[in-house]
Amino acid sequence: MNSKKTVLLPKYQKVFEQLGENIKLARKRRKLTAEQVSERAGINRTTLYRIEKGDPAVAIGSYFNVFRVLNLEDDFKKLAVDDEFGRKLQDLDLL
């Protein structure tokens, strides 16, 4: 299997790093171990470690499963929900 490294500009990598940190803090606030979360999310401990470090190459489904275990699936559903730029483009077509 050939895996490609996901390349992001530093400012976008910081977004993933912040997301990973937020996930790690949410896990700790709930007093859950990394083993508990990874087991419940159906991923291995290494994958959870990568998520908590903000690795953009981890599958989005794995991120979602961690959100689900932490009862944050509603936060996950908010991603890209308010497409302000898309609505402006659409409104320009209506003029």
Side-chain angles (χ1 to χ4, degrees):
M1 178 168 85
N2 248 349
S3 65
K4 291 184 178 180
K5 181 165 173 53
T6 304
V7 179
L8 291 176
L9 294 173
K11 72 177 185 177
Y12 300 123
Q13 179 59 45
K14 290 207 181 298
V15 172
F16 271 89
E17 290 169 3
Q18 184 63 58
L19 175 62
E21 186 176 325
N22 291 347
I23 290 169
K24 186 175 186 175
L25 289 171
R27 175 179 63 79
K28 289 185 172 201
R29 281 187 206 108
R30 288 158 178 75
K31 300 192 185 319
L32 294 171
T33 67
E35 283 196 17
Q36 289 172 316
V37 172
S38 59
E39 183 179 305
R40 294 174 189 178
I43 59 176
N44 63 43
R45 174 64 189 94
T46 304
T47 302
L48 180 60
Y49 174 79
R50 289 173 55 207
I51 288 171
E52 289 183 351
K53 288 295 182 187
D55 186 342
V58 175
I60 195 167
S62 296
Y63 273 90
F64 176 76
N65 282 336
V66 171
F67 271 72
R68 180 185 49 78
V69 169
L70 299 173
N71 292 317
L72 294 172
E73 61 270 11
D74 286 340
D75 288 0
F76 194 87
K77 288 189 248 179
K78 292 177 186 175
L79 296 175
V81 74
D82 187 21
D83 184 13
E84 187 177 326
F85 181 70
R87 281 196 318 264
K88 285 181 182 179
L89 289 173
Q90 190 176 36
D91 290 348
L92 286 173
D93 283 345
L94 298 175
L95 296 177

